[in-house]
Structure formats: structure tokens, C-alpha cells
Amino acid sequence: MQPYWMTHFLLPDQEHAHAQAVGEALEQARESVAGLVGCESFEIVFTSGGTEANNLAILGLLTSPAHRNESPGHVLVSQLEHDSVTAAARSLEAAGIEVEMIPCEPEGVIDPDRVKSMLRDDTRLVCLQLANPVLGTIQPVREVADLCHNQGVRLHCDATQVFGKLSVDTTRLRADTIAISGHKFYGPKGIGAIYVRRGLHLSPIAYGEPREMGLRPGAENVPACIGMGAAANLASRCAGEVSDNFSELSARLLKGLQSSLSNEPILLAEDAPRIPNTLAIEMPREVSRIRRAARQLVFATAQSTEPPDEITRALKAIGRTDAQIGRTLRISLGWTTSRDQVDRAVGMLAEACG
Amino acid sequence: MQPYWMTHFLLPDQEHAHAQAVGEALEQARESVAGLVGCESFEIVFTSGGTEANNLAILGLLTSPAHRNESPGHVLVSQLEHDSVTAAARSLEAAGIEVEMIPCEPEGVIDPDRVKSMLRDDTRLVCLQLANPVLGTIQPVREVADLCHNQGVRLHCDATQVFGKLSVDTTRLRADTIAISGHKFYGPKGIGAIYVRRGLHLSPIAYGEPREMGLRPGAENVPACIGMGAAANLASRCAGEVSDNFSELSARLLKGLQSSLSNEPILLAEDAPRIPNTLAIEMPREVSRIRRAARQLVFATAQSTEPPDEITRALKAIGRTDAQIGRTLRISLGWTTSRDQVDRAVGMLAEACG
């Protein structure tokens, strides 16, 4: 990224030989991100992050004049979605669009048959994430996309949680739009992208000089795009290896906890397909006590039940009680996590619960 | 910025000692940006850039439920504004808001008396930039703000062009909202901010987890905020010195061109107050010829008259003909521009026009 601050700091559309090089590097980065999801580079639009990508997919589709002759219509949003999906959809209720939540099954996944029963003649969009960031559960996006397309409904997929863990392919997934966040797979913060299936018309949701195929105004954040492109290359190249390593370490973590604790911890959504680095574990002790004794560990816990935060919502969606939610840790492993670190984490958690 | 990628990469709201340090650094950056405009840090909201700042100011004010009982109303936008201002205002025409352009005087400035005559009972907002990026002209924001406030009208000021050149002070300027762009004063790309006068209610224009006083969702772009904060400190500290240096170099450039060309070049808007680093110069030759002979210079020229680009619009606003526009260069000086570079530029331009 550094050269694009220090020497090649011009914008692609400026008049200078350096600007042309910047434009070429930007398009190279776009190709790298396209490679991450298996699409053409013209189907990738850079955004300021995953939140903007989700907003652009939903608001850009539902406010597009290309679809203006449709009735306000109906949108289905899975109960497990990120706030930037749910709140974007809800913002359209003022325009008469009806938003309905798809309940999550106790296993932590959305059931395609239930989606099928909820689709209506005026349904315009279904929002279904690829993997839940709390439970790690992989959702049946392909099955739901096929159902949707049979009825002329579009499907938006927030896939931000999956990159760097599993490989993603637009031709297998068949979503119409896919949200991508750079910093979720070791790219920089402040950058994301949206895949927009060729031929699908979105409207921009911000106004200014037309950039990014007319879908996003404002000076391109070139260094961040370059950084995200490099991270995408790495994530594409290592997907298989990383995934195997995550599976091994996750199993080691869980086995370690189970053998060192008398009251066994419970891995939530254990029977569902899951991304291999994310574990929601119900411990035998309250989180507050664990946190005090395991200060060197970074894990996530429910912070608020009212309004429910992301973790609370996911755990409530699979029927956990408040007491169970108060004992649940969300642990995720990174590319650099080692066996030794996993063993030390097990030791700290066991001590905290002992 | 680098530590905030490499070690302190957590987000402020995550549960870890590092996260607290990140939060503190973010607030320090916010104070630095507040220092740049002379406001309190709680009046600064980080955005992804100047375009988003202009969009948030205009759409956030005019769609806010706090002002819902008002009629759709009337908005005045100066003819010199950036696309992100004009297009954001125009996007509200679909909601019944009337948008009217304030014509520019031949001197390159907006006349407060003309604004006064255009204000109506239902005017809700006036948009007036602090300095024009093409002509360099400084606009009478304070006078127009006073006029507006006397009638209960809000004023948004796009000040993106001024930072790093002149000092800005909210108490002198009296705008209700001010747009700031990081990369315009040597901060990183992909980051900007908006000053929102205390007590003024805006609505967010994007949806998700509430961050930035509820005005902007999405993970904070911490490294970029830190970088913008550092640039703000530098710009605040050097404003006087930088400004004097720019004035001297601009005079040198102009004098050099005038003495080396038989057909004297014309500095546009010469009699208006101007930021000292920006010169729109009408040359005796066509731009295309100059560009070929002065390849080492970076300058901006009109790229398109239909639709008119930013440079064409500013030049047409002061009554220049297409032929004159085709001979105009917009030259800007940077903090590191030296006398020697100015002299070499003069030589190259003189040769190109010889």
C-alpha cells in the first residue's frame, strides 16, 4: 500500500503518467478481489467497507428506477443477519416495503423450505448471509438462491464472514449481490466491495462524481484497494490449507476444554455445517469470571440483551436462555494461531472455570 | 498509522486492553481534527471522505425526522459547488424539495446580497463552499451564514479545499455543518469528517451498528483516522507559514509567466480573495499543445464540456467562452513545492507557448 501514499498518490483520472499507473494498479486490485469470489472484475465495486456494501446491495436494488414499476413489495431477511442488512431493509418500510424476518432453526441455520413457504408474489429480495459470525454456521445460500430465481426474486448474500476461511464462488453460490469486507480477511480497514451480477441494475446510494461504474462517488481509496487486493490474493491462494489448519485447531481447542473441565462445555450449532475458525461455546461458568482469569485471550461475549447485540441475537435465535447466553464465549482462530496458543487458551479457560 | 494495522488492529469496542488504547487514539485523532476547525471533538464525525461528508450534511439534515414538520421546502446551492453537494441536493427533488442554484458573480464569488434576495420563507438550507477548487476564490461564508441564521435557515459549508492552506475556525465561519476531506491536506485517502454544530440534529444516511454518535455505521477506519489526525495537527501548526510561502510562490509563478510570454497569461478571478496555492490561468495557447511540451508538470484542465466537468463549470460560471476554457490551466502548489520547481515550471510552460 505504501507506494500509493508516498509516490503514486495521484488519482486514476488525473492527467499524469503516474495516474495511469495508479489506475492500472487499481484495476489489478479489482481483479484480485474478483478472483476471490470467482467473477469478472467489472462485477466488483469498491466500497468503504462491509456495511456500505450491504447498504448498497439492498438500497441500491430496491430504490433502482429499473425496478420502479414493481409494487413496494416484500423483503425477506434472515434472523441472523448483520445490523447493516437488517437496518438497511427496515429503512425501506417508510417507503411501503414490507420486511419479514426468516426465523432460524434450532440448529443455527435457515431452512430453505421455510423460505419457500414465505416467498410471495410481491417478494423482491431475500437477504441471507453465507456464514453467521457468532455461531459460524454456513447458510444454504445456493438452495435459497435457486428458489428465489425460480420466482424472479433477487438474493443478496452478506459473505463478509467467510473470506479467508473458505473459498467462495459466485457461480456455485448464485447470489445476485455479495458483500465483502477487507479487514475481515487481513486487508485494511475502511475498504470493502460488492459483487454485482452482470446485468443487474443498482442505483448508487451516495451522490457525487460518478466513479466505480457509477455506483460509488468519491475519490478512490487507492491504497486500501491495493491492500485489499493483496489480501484477496493471499486468501484465494491459501483457502484450502488455512481451512484444514482451522479445523484441526478448532477440534484441539474443543477436545482440550472437554477433557479439562468436569462440566463439559457445549459447542453450539455443533451439527450444522460451520466455518472452521469460529466457535460459540457455552461454558460452565459466567463470562465475567472467565474474563478476569483469562485476560490474555481475546474473545467476544454478549454485551447487551436490550437492545440485543449481534451475539445475543444469534444465541436467542437458536433458543438459548439469558443464563446460557451469559455463559457463552465466541472464540475465533486466526491464520497465525498456533497449537501452542490453543493449548495455552485451553489452560487459561480451564483455570477460570475450575 | 502503521501500528494500527500491525499490533493495535482491534476495534475500539472490542474486549481487550489493546482495544481501549485504540479507542483512546481514535479520540485523540478526533480532537486533532476538531482543532483544525476550532470546535469540540464531539462535533466531529468521521466519514469515508469529503463526498460522504457533503452527502451526510445535506441528506442527513433534510431527511431528519427532527425537521419533519417542515414543508418539503427550498434549498439554495451555489453554482460553484462540488458534484457531491449539488447531486445530493438534487436527489431530494424526488421528495418535493425545490433546489435553486445561486449564480456566481463574474469575479468568481457568490454575492451575499443575491443570496439574501433568493432566500424564501420555506428555505431550509444554503450550501456554500469555503473556497472553489478551480478558481481558488474564497466565498463569503460568514456573511451568508449570518443572513441564513437571521431567517432560521441552515448553512452547509464544503471547506474541503481550504485545509492545509488557510486556517478555518467554526466560530468565525458560523456554518452549521462543514465537510472535511483527509487527502486534501496530506492525510490518507478514504477518510473525511463532518463538523456538526452542537445541538443540530442529522439523520444517518447509512444503516448498521450505530457508531460515530449514531451518524455513521460500520467499523471505524482507525488507521486512516489516526493519519488524518496527524495531518490535521500539521496543518493547524503550519497554516500561517504555509500560507505565506504559497503566496510568494504563486506570485513568482505568475510573474515568471507574464515576463516570459509575449501574450500575457491571465490569472482568473484575480481581484477576488483567493486561497494562495490555487491558480486558474488562461494561457495564450491551447492546453493540448502545452500538455505535450510540459509532461513533467501535473496540472488540471477541463476534460469535458458535455456534461460539464468541475473545471468547465467553474469557468463557465464566471463567463469564460469554450475557447478560453480550452486554454486554461489549473495549477496548484503543494507544501513541498520549491522556488526552483516554480521556475522550472515557468520555463516549461513558456517553451510550450513560445
Side-chain angles (χ1 to χ4, degrees), chain A residues 12-29:
Chain A
D13 62 349
Q14 287 179 305
E15 296 182 57
H16 192 273
H18 278 185
Q20 196 185 328
V22 170
E24 285 162 9
L26 183 66
E27 293 317 307
Q28 193 63 52

Side-chain angles (χ1 to χ4, degrees), chain A residues 9 15 189 291 301 303, chain B residues 9 15 189 207 291 301:
Chain A
F9 48 77
E15 296 182 57
K189 292 184 175 70
R291 191 179 296 120
T301 58
Q303 293 297 299
Chain B
F9 47 76
E15 295 182 59
K189 292 185 176 70
Y207 306 94
R291 190 177 297 119
T301 59

Side-chain angles (χ1 to χ4, degrees), chain A residues 188-202:
Chain A
K189 292 184 175 70
I191 190 77
I194 175 175
Y195 155 80
V196 183
R197 179 179 53 71
R198 70 198 78 181
L200 181 71
H201 190 273
L202 300 188

